[in-house]
Amino acid sequence: MANAKGGPAERRTSDRDAFARRVVGRPHRKVDAVAKVLGSTRFADDLALPRMLYTRLLRSPHPHARIVRIDTSRAAALAGVKAVLTGQDLPVAFGILPVSQDEHALAVDKVRYVGDPVAAVAATSEDIATAAVDLIDVEYELLTPITSLDDALRIHEPRIHDYAKHGNLQKVTDLEFGNVETGFAEADHIREDVFFYEGSTHLPMEQHAALAEWSPDGKLTVWASTQTPHYLHQRALARVLSVPASRIRVIACPNGGGFGGKSDPMNHEVVVAKLAMVTGRPVKITLTREEVFYCHRGRHPVLMWVKTGVKQDGAITAMHFKSLLDGGGYGSYGVASMYYTGALQTVTYQVPRYKFQGARAFTNKAPCGPKRGHGTPQPRFALEVQLDKIAEDLKLDPAEMRLRHIVPPQTLTANFLRVGSVGLGACIRKVVDGSGWTTKFRQLPHGRGVGLACSSYICGAGVPIYWNDMPQSGVQLKLDRGGGVTVFCGSTDIGQGSDDVLATIAAEMLGVDLPDVHVVTADTSLTPVDLGSYSSRVTLMTGNALVQAAERAREIVATYAAAKLEVPPHRLVFAGRRVFDGGNSERGVTFVEAVQLAEAAHGTVVTVGSYRTPTAAGRYRGAGVGPSPAYSYSTAVAEVDVDPDTGIVRVERIWIAHDVGQCINPVSVMGQVEGSVYMGLGEAVMEEMPYRDNRNLMHKIPSMLEYKSPTTLEMCDVVTYLVEDPDPNGPFGAKEVGQGPLLPVPPAVANAVYDAVGVRIDEVPITPEKVLRALKDKTKGGVPRFGPTRFPEVPWPEPIRVPPPWEGGDGSALGDAGRQRATAGEQPRTRRSDARQPAAAGRASPVSDREDST
Amino acid sequence: MARRRSEASGKAPLTLEVNGETVELAVTPQKTLLEILREDLGLTGTKHGCELGECGTCTVTLDGVPILSCLMLGLACEGKSVRTVEGMAHGAELHPLQRAFADLGAAQCGYCTPGIMLAAEALIAGNPSPTRDQIKDALSGNLCRCTGYIKIYEAVELAAAWMRGEEARPREESLYGER
Ligand code: FES
Ligand code: FES
């Protein structure tokens, strides 16, 4: 909207055959695929070392209690037990966000959820460790448990954490981009709706595991199933163990699925490291599935209220969005999750005035955190279902209405997010055509229906969690005199194919074959830092870092090959394992020869590349969440069959289009899209974290049987369209695909249920009971709807007022406007480099607000 | 939170055929086949996601029938023939299922993959041309959190075609999406 208003983003889907690329964009086996089908990939629990000890944790049976006394003497006396630890042995707090360093490896004085670890045993066998844990006596003083959002708002004492801003509210925010009241006054039609999105968990098939080895020369090595070896290394292990980071090596094993659930440094990882230091022997732990449920860090349950004003044609005049998140017992990424529930409303359809109020509460349940889509599936559900209602109110086709108001490419939004390429229009058209939308919508027989929804997601957080001047991603590239190419990068493959992205780009740029490329990743001693596999950042950031390293390597090699071939270096082409004159392909040398020429003249051929994100445009408190180098777009149409007698919703098929910018490996892209649709489907119709209400806040039964997830029998058909609208900030134009395609699925299903049987289920999961209740109300002449009806009073702070770009705003909050702006093209200079330093008091500036970033 | 019984005394002898080789072991009576494979035999290709019979990740075949190795006591397998993922490739040549899973990206994190391939192999052995619905039925006890199962079905269909001796290729739409 900062630029001239154009029609819907309409760009040609790139024709892959038009490119002379040999590897990028062409389907191939992932570099690690063969190891995976052979079963030879070494996951963390597959590792064993001589003299290894086994660890079990004692976990709290109470949701909220003070630890009065722990007696470990009986456990320590058991034959085979080598060490017992309690919270006193690991007193330093840690946590992924600088503002919520609220976790301990073992609870020090309080437990905050059922499953909170209290003590640990290392023994010569798992059986002995298990028996020893049962011999630890703990005396607890029970505290009032905070069971729900209502409790958290009502009960100020006891507080779950003393640092919470208001009683048991961890954080509240109020952001205003323009005057929404003016916008509502201009509207022809206004809707207010309340929605609830239930919490769910990642359920990776691999149970978390970690192995630690301590060497008497003062070095520590930890292997773990983690998505973020860098944070485990520097923010948890070095901090809690008081061992210099320079002496710690963290190796992230390939993860057997992550989905965000392995993004926090975890208690057990710190515990095994400490036990290795205490016993002098390697120490391992593999969590049981029950314990994986306690680790959680899953989707926040979120209550939402949305008020949207529109013109007759569906153009939004203003939007006011409130969200209240049930965070569970610890901070985790939660403050960022809270901001994410309000950040991306503006990047799909034009929103000229926007207000967001968000709050995160602590409750005595397993901590919530980042799950695929991190804080955005919930508001996306609310927004897209409400738009469906608005389209009906205005008698507009919901697809047509959305198409008219898409954010144009190269837009600076009301909340100062810089949007680059926008393939949303193409996505909508693909699924509308493919699904036969115009012949189905509002025309299928009773019990059958279709629904549509769109979404957008970030390609990496533009602002890192710990704000500093260093790159988010680094790559080192080594060219071997044998013609081999090795890529070293800190990124972690969690199944999404990040190793393959590196291999593919290296092979493409250096003109070698995929088997010539070796990838060394996720090892804090061997590889340059990459911040981790979260926020859909890896393809874009490691890809760009690698592009830079590969360009530098090509330059070195070309210099010496050019001298030998007597052609200008810029004419040289790297392809087919050769380096040759682009004008005369006969004139060339093999890649091996070229590397050897370079090595002889230049020395060992090693280059580096790094990537830093563009400076965020927003400068207000809270501006750290939302900026991204690029945004991906998706649209889904769901077709459902609803049985009016049982309320059972069967999703028959989902048509999904995703704007990925440019495929690096289409096979991986397809897999990410289908996997996202699957996970969205689970959240739409069945997945929820079930707690036994009023009774200890225990999980019902923390098991895969009790936690329903789609099997082959529930999974729907998926028809996928890949839209390639290259983004100037992506490597080869590539954007993310790992998370975005999940987002439109739950609202598309909810909209389809309405089309099928005429009831609104404003809450996920859409279970048969909810559908039946709504159908019953409909028959009785009541409101044909199931969902929350009120949003509670929240003690909102004074709003931070930021004029949008078209009202002359420069990204600063009013009152801050006189503040010095950072030099153009540079990050602001004043910033904390470490969380332990206190924030500058009383100054609202993006730099004292790292809490807002992830 | 205990998941295993505490140490039992005495071990008992056990003879198994594992991937065509006879192995002789002494194991404690409470040890599961899963633990024997992973811990005693070093065959870590067999994975676990729950050790409670709920996820199918630990699937191996016992005399050709898919079973959950986490629920099977080792001593109950006396004299039987066990097949794990390590037994699938023929020398350095991948099994058709392995090839198809690799080509189609049916193994993302790869954690559920060994169990799913063994369940699929047993299906194809009894039914060389399984329909999509028969594949879904046969794999309904195996959870996969990454793929949404779609590429898994396509890989099983492709491998079954290869195993019937047909010249088959992945569909264009499976690799690039619909046009
Ligand atoms: S490990 Fe889950 S069924 Fe055996
Ligand atoms: S490929 Fe990851 S669980 Fe199936």
Side-chain angles (χ1 to χ4, degrees):
Chain A
M1 275 176 291
N3 54 0
K5 185 176 165 178
E10 167 77 287
R11 284 228 210 147
R12 185 179 60 95
T13 297
S14 60
D15 178 356
R16 56 190 148 263
D17 304 320
F19 293 102
R21 291 184 191 141
R22 304 158 309 106
V23 201
V24 163
R26 301 191 178 270
H28 57 263
R29 272 185 195 172
K30 292 199 296 182
V31 275
D32 49 355
V34 167
K36 288 189 168 164
V37 298
L38 286 171
S40 60
T41 302
R42 307 271 278 164
F43 296 95
D45 187 43
D46 297 338
L47 305 177
L49 290 172
R51 299 177 70 238
M52 186 170 88
L53 300 173
Y54 300 84
T55 299
R56 304 300 312 150
L57 299 174
L58 177 68
R59 291 177 181 268
S60 166
H62 305 296
H64 200 189
R66 198 166 294 291
I67 298 170
V68 178
R69 192 180 55 85
I70 304 184
D71 181 356
T72 59
S73 55
R74 289 198 299 147
L78 190 70
V81 170
K82 298 294 171 190
V84 184
L85 297 180
T86 67
Q88 302 305 328
D89 301 303
L90 291 158
V92 181
F94 66 98
I96 184 70
L97 297 191
V99 286
S100 48
Q101 303 282 306
D102 59 5
E103 300 187 48
H104 286 88
L106 298 166
V108 173
D109 54 352
K110 256 179 88 163
V111 290
R112 295 179 171 90
Y113 67 95
V114 172
D116 211 353
V118 171
V121 173
T124 50
S125 78
E126 214 168 15
D127 287 337
I128 295 174
T130 303
V133 157
D134 292 343
L135 296 175
I136 299 173
D137 299 307
V138 188
E139 191 186 315
Y140 294 100
E141 174 200 329
L142 301 192
L143 300 170
T144 308
I146 310 300
T147 67
S148 60
L149 288 170
D150 279 336
D151 271 8
L153 287 169
R154 199 168 43 81
I155 305 173
H156 292 242
E157 295 292 340
R159 288 208 224 179
I160 296 176
H161 289 281
D162 291 336
Y163 76 92
K165 297 260 152 73
H166 305 272
N168 282 303
L169 281 186
Q170 180 193 4
K171 171 86 185 171
V172 287
T173 196
D174 190 325
L175 293 169
E176 242 177 65
F177 306 95
N179 187 339
V180 285
E181 294 314 323
T182 316
F184 290 132
E186 284 173 11
D188 296 326
H189 178 62
I190 294 176
R191 270 205 80 98
E192 286 181 35
D193 293 284
V194 190
F195 298 93
F196 180 65
Y197 199 107
E198 184 55 277
S200 57
T201 203
H202 320 80
L203 204 76
M205 297 313 296
E206 178 202 30
Q207 303 150 230
H208 307 50
L211 169 63
E213 188 179 33
W214 171 255
S215 146
D217 61 5
K219 287 185 169 174
L220 175 70
T221 306
V222 175
W223 293 261
S225 46
T226 175
Q227 300 177 226
T228 54
H230 168 71
Y231 293 123
L232 174 58
H233 177 226
Q234 300 214 345
R235 299 296 161 185
L237 296 175
R239 181 184 167 96
V240 180
L241 303 173
S242 299
V243 174
S246 57
R247 296 180 195 171
I248 301 176
R249 177 178 183 188
V250 175
I251 300 168
C253 299
N255 286 201
F259 317 112
K262 295 168 182 167
S263 306
D264 285 63
M266 291 282 174
N267 314 61
H268 62 270
E269 294 162 343
V270 179
V271 165
V272 288
K274 179 73 178 179
L275 284 168
M277 291 169 69
V278 170
T279 61
R281 290 172 64 166
V283 180
K284 177 173 169 180
I285 190 165
T286 304
L287 300 189
T288 62
R289 177 54 61 181
E290 179 181 347
E291 292 179 290
V292 175
F293 278 94
Y294 299 141
C295 289
H296 190 42
R297 320 287 162 150
R299 182 87 68 227
H300 285 76
V302 185
L303 183 63
M304 295 162 285
W305 175 89
V306 203
K307 178 176 177 183
T308 305
V310 289
K311 298 299 257 184
Q312 234 16 283
D313 67 351
I316 295 169
T317 58
M319 182 184 291
H320 182 177
F321 200 99
K322 294 186 207 175
S323 63
L324 180 54
L325 291 77
D326 183 343
Y330 288 95
S332 180
Y333 286 78
V335 170
S337 317
M338 185 274 284
Y339 278 112
Y340 270 121
T341 64
L344 301 189
Q345 275 82 338
T346 55
V347 300
T348 39
Y349 322 108
Q350 303 179 63
V351 181
R353 297 174 192 85
Y354 177 57
K355 180 174 171 70
F356 168 61
Q357 291 170 303
R360 184 182 194 252
F362 284 127
T363 56
N364 290 116
K365 292 181 273 194
C368 296
K371 184 186 173 197
R372 205 173 200 169
H374 193 190
T376 69
Q378 301 99 323
R380 186 50 63 180
F381 174 75
L383 177 55
E384 296 292 323
V385 172
Q386 192 187 52
L387 280 179
D388 203 62
K389 298 180 185 185
I390 287 174
E392 180 165 54
D393 296 343
L394 300 176
K395 302 191 170 51
L396 296 174
D397 178 89
E400 220 18 76
M401 185 182 86
R402 285 173 169 87
L403 270 172
R404 277 188 214 162
H405 305 296
I406 291 174
V407 165
Q410 308 306 329
T411 289
L412 188 61
T413 67
N415 53 345
F416 289 86
L417 305 183
R418 235 191 280 275
V419 174
S421 75
V422 179
L424 182 54
C427 288
I428 295 177
R429 288 197 185 85
K430 286 280 184 196
V431 293
V432 162
D433 291 350
S435 65
W437 174 259
T438 47
T439 61
K440 288 179 177 168
F441 181 65
R442 299 288 189 265
Q443 292 159 56
L444 293 173
H446 187 70
R448 292 193 72 84
V450 288
L452 176 140
C454 304
S455 65
S456 175
Y457 198 63
I458 54 168
C459 304
V463 182
I465 297 174
Y466 291 83
W467 205 342
N468 59 60
D469 290 320
M470 293 175 283
Q472 284 213 35
S473 201
V475 159
Q476 189 183 354
L477 193 60
K478 178 182 76 85
L479 272 49
D480 185 85
R481 62 178 74 168
V485 172
T486 310
V487 186
F488 299 87
C489 179
S491 58
T492 302
D493 204 305
I494 59 173
Q496 87 282 41
S498 57
D499 281 4
D500 186 65
V501 166
L502 295 173
T504 305
I505 292 177
E508 178 70 46
M509 292 190 66
L510 295 169
V512 297
D513 293 345
L514 274 169
D516 299 322
V517 184
H518 307 265
V519 179
V520 179
T521 49
D523 182 324
T524 59
S525 291
L526 298 186
T527 61
V529 166
D530 173 71
L531 294 183
S533 290
Y534 63 96
S535 88
S536 267
R537 51 181 297 291
V538 180
T539 295
L540 187 137
M541 299 201 194
T542 67
N544 278 328
L546 174 56
V547 165
Q548 185 178 65
E551 272 166 0
R552 289 172 175 171
R554 275 205 307 211
E555 205 178 301
I556 294 170
V557 172
T559 306
Y560 303 101
K564 156 117 190 206
L565 295 170
E566 296 172 349
V567 280
H570 70 262
R571 278 217 337 236
L572 290 182
V573 174
F574 288 65
R577 306 175 88 197
R578 290 177 73 239
V579 180
F580 54 87
D581 181 357
N584 170 15
S585 61
E586 298 291 292
R587 198 183 182 107
V589 290
T590 64
F591 181 72
V592 180
E593 203 181 333
V595 173
Q596 289 182 355
L597 285 169
E599 190 169 340
H602 169 94
T604 305
V605 186
V606 174
T607 59
V608 295
S610 47
Y611 178 73
R612 54 188 90 228
T613 47
T615 310
R619 303 178 46 72
Y620 54 90
R621 196 174 165 79
V625 168
S628 177
Y631 297 84
S632 74
Y633 289 88
S634 313
T635 309
V637 167
E639 182 162 346
V640 303
D641 183 295
V642 184
D643 182 341
D645 295 326
T646 62
I648 292 176
V649 175
R650 206 178 149 76
V651 179
E652 306 269 336
R653 177 169 293 179
I654 288 176
W655 291 262
I656 177 112
H658 181 74
D659 167 23
V660 66
Q662 159 71 47
C663 293
I664 301 296
N665 180 354
V667 180
S668 302
V669 174
M670 289 293 291
Q672 289 303 307
V673 173
E674 289 165 359
S676 294
V677 169
Y678 153 87
M679 206 163 266
L681 177 73
E683 293 184 18
V685 298
M686 66 180 81
E687 292 189 34
E688 56 187 319
M689 282 292 265
Y691 289 93
R692 286 189 245 159
D693 256 347
N694 308 324
R695 281 189 42 208
N696 288 344
L697 297 148
M698 296 267 290
H699 285 72
K700 239 171 168 175
I701 300 172
S703 75
M704 284 171 156
L705 272 190
E706 197 56 49
Y707 184 89
K708 307 290 180 216
S709 67
T711 70
T712 55
L713 302 179
E714 287 85 30
M715 182 57 194
C716 60
D717 289 344
V718 181
V719 180
T720 302
Y721 303 87
L722 303 182
V723 171
E724 292 177 309
D725 191 341
D727 194 281
N729 284 340
F732 295 87
K735 303 198 281 192
E736 75 87 38
V737 62
Q739 311 192 51
L742 181 151
L743 302 174
V745 173
V749 171
N751 293 340
V753 168
Y754 179 72
D755 189 44
V757 288
V759 295
R760 289 287 179 188
I761 311 299
D762 290 337
E763 172 176 327
V764 294
I766 301 169
T767 56
E769 308 83 75
K770 294 175 189 171
V771 176
L772 274 188
R773 281 265 298 275
L775 282 170
K776 217 170 264 164
D777 287 349
K778 188 183 177 193
T779 333
K780 286 192 297 199
V783 185
R785 169 182 187 270
F786 185 95
T789 49
R790 60 173 267 279
F791 191 93
E793 286 295 319
V794 173
W796 302 117
E798 260 306 290
I800 294 172
R801 294 195 174 85
V802 185
W806 40 90
E807 290 177 20
D810 68 351
S812 309
L814 291 179
D816 287 349
R819 212 182 55 230
Q820 199 69 32
R821 256 189 94 85
T823 323
E826 275 182 9
Q827 297 273 3
R829 288 290 125 189
T830 45
R831 56 177 73 137
R832 262 189 310 172
S833 62
D834 193 291
R836 275 167 284 182
Q837 294 168 13
R843 271 230 337 266
S845 86
V847 297
S848 64
D849 205 28
R850 256 134 336 257
E851 71 208 51
D852 307 337
S853 13
T854 182
Chain B
M1 264 148 247
R3 74 166 157 167
R4 289 179 190 153
R5 280 174 269 170
S6 44
E7 287 253 292
S9 42
K11 295 187 173 183
L14 169 66
T15 307
L16 290 175
E17 191 192 294
V18 179
N19 298 328
E21 288 169 26
T22 302
V23 295
E24 288 177 6
L25 302 136
V27 300
T28 49
Q30 80 275 24
K31 215 163 198 188
T32 63
L33 179 60
L34 172 71
E35 291 166 326
I36 291 170
L37 291 170
R38 288 180 55 84
E39 292 163 18
D40 296 67
L41 298 175
L43 296 173
T44 52
T46 303
K47 304 299 178 197
H48 53 82
C50 67
E51 297 164 88
L52 294 166
E54 296 171 349
C55 69
T57 309
C58 64
T59 303
V60 300
T61 59
L62 195 62
D63 289 344
V65 180
I67 55 127
L68 300 176
S69 63
C70 72
L71 292 186
M72 181 64 69
L73 287 176
L75 292 180
C77 303
E78 174 63 35
K80 299 200 178 178
S81 159
V82 182
R83 184 166 163 85
T84 71
V85 67
E86 287 89 348
M88 288 186 80
H90 192 73
E93 196 184 316
L94 295 179
H95 186 284
L97 277 163
Q98 291 174 314
R99 250 199 297 154
F101 271 64
D103 286 348
L104 280 163
Q108 282 187 25
C109 78
Y111 201 80
C112 68
T113 309
I116 288 187
M117 288 192 305
L118 286 157
E121 189 187 29
L123 166 71
I124 296 171
N127 175 5
S129 306
T131 62
R132 183 62 69 101
D133 282 341
Q134 288 166 334
I135 296 170
K136 289 185 183 180
D137 262 345
L139 301 182
S140 61
N142 293 74
L143 294 180
C144 170
R145 246 347 225 175
C146 297
T147 61
Y149 306 108
I150 311 281
K151 288 287 170 278
I152 292 175
Y153 307 148
E154 291 172 356
V156 173
E157 286 161 356
L158 182 63
W162 285 339
M163 289 162 81
R164 292 191 301 267
E166 294 166 20
E167 290 259 335
R169 295 244 222 122
R171 294 160 56 243
E172 274 269 297
E173 301 76 43
S174 303
L175 303 173
Y176 290 109
E178 304 284 328
R179 297 270 179 165

